[in-house]
Amino acid sequence: MEGTTLNHFDSQGRAHMVDVSGKEDTVREAVARGEVLMRPETLNIIAGGTAAKGDVLGVARLAGIMAAKKTQELIPLAHPIPLTSVAVDFRLQPPDRVEIQARVRTTGKTGVEMEALTAASVAALTIYDMCKAVDRAMIIQNIRLVSKSGGKSGEFRREGEKEWE
């Protein structure tokens, strides 16, 4: 097990925002991924750019970026973080899947794992929203942290995850 305590609780077990004022500013990066499973016909619509609502992946990319920037408004104990970079990318995996990757960077006192996970999640939700008229059976799955760097806890890399080319 990575940590031995949950640091969002005080000694009385009450939730609180962690005090990061004593931490050093370091360059921090997190990568999160997820996927949306769908009918092959739905993937063809996305790939062909023929969705009724427009450019599915373009809108999902913007939604993911916007979500990363608003993470502190969605996750109660997340710190507001000045992000220096957010990139949301997609890989179409025929016959029936879109893979999503969100990479978030900052220079600061706390990590950007929640921002990367939020970006990947909202990008997946946006794909669902834009395609639900043709495929309500889509499945959003496997949202996960792939890697993180920076800070006192150092590097994390999920076993078996390869870099995207």
Side-chain angles (χ1 to χ4, degrees):
M1 193 165 192
E2 286 184 40
T4 56
T5 62
L6 297 174
N7 58 3
H8 282 96
F9 294 98
D10 67 14
S11 60
Q12 286 80 43
R14 296 177 302 216
H16 72 103
M17 183 182 260
V18 175
D19 182 359
V20 297
S21 59
K23 289 183 166 187
E24 294 291 321
D25 281 348
T26 62
V27 175
R28 295 162 184 269
E29 179 179 272
V31 176
R33 291 190 185 142
E35 55 194 36
V36 182
L37 297 179
M38 60 194 65
R39 294 187 341 227
E41 300 80 23
T42 307
L43 186 63
N44 290 338
I45 289 169
I46 292 171
T50 59
K53 289 187 176 183
D55 177 9
V56 173
L57 299 183
V59 174
R61 178 176 287 109
L62 288 175
I65 292 167
M66 291 172 63
K69 293 165 51 175
K70 293 190 169 283
T71 299
Q72 75 276 358
E73 296 174 29
L74 301 169
I75 308 297
L77 299 177
H79 290 84
I81 297 175
L83 303 179
T84 57
S85 175
V86 180
V88 179
D89 295 300
F90 305 95
R91 291 197 311 196
L92 302 181
Q93 297 293 332
D96 62 357
R97 185 167 28 113
V98 175
E99 292 181 346
I100 303 158
Q101 176 174 280
R103 182 180 301 270
V104 180
R105 290 188 185 123
T106 192
T107 299
K109 299 178 182 303
T110 190
V112 288
E113 297 93 340
M114 294 310 301
E115 288 72 13
L117 288 161
T118 300
S121 298
V122 170
L125 288 166
T126 301
I127 291 169
Y128 186 96
D129 178 55
M130 293 193 69
C131 297
K132 69 182 183 256
V134 297
D135 188 357
R136 292 201 189 274
M138 287 178 286
I139 299 171
I140 296 170
Q141 67 178 23
N142 209 11
I143 304 287
R144 68 219 181 261
L145 181 68
V146 172
S147 63
K148 63 100 30 203
S149 61
K152 191 169 83 169
S153 66
E155 306 285 322
F156 165 79
R157 179 99 190 145
R158 182 172 299 282
E159 200 170 308
E161 295 276 356
K162 295 180 176 41
E163 287 290 325
W164 278 23
E165 307 203 0

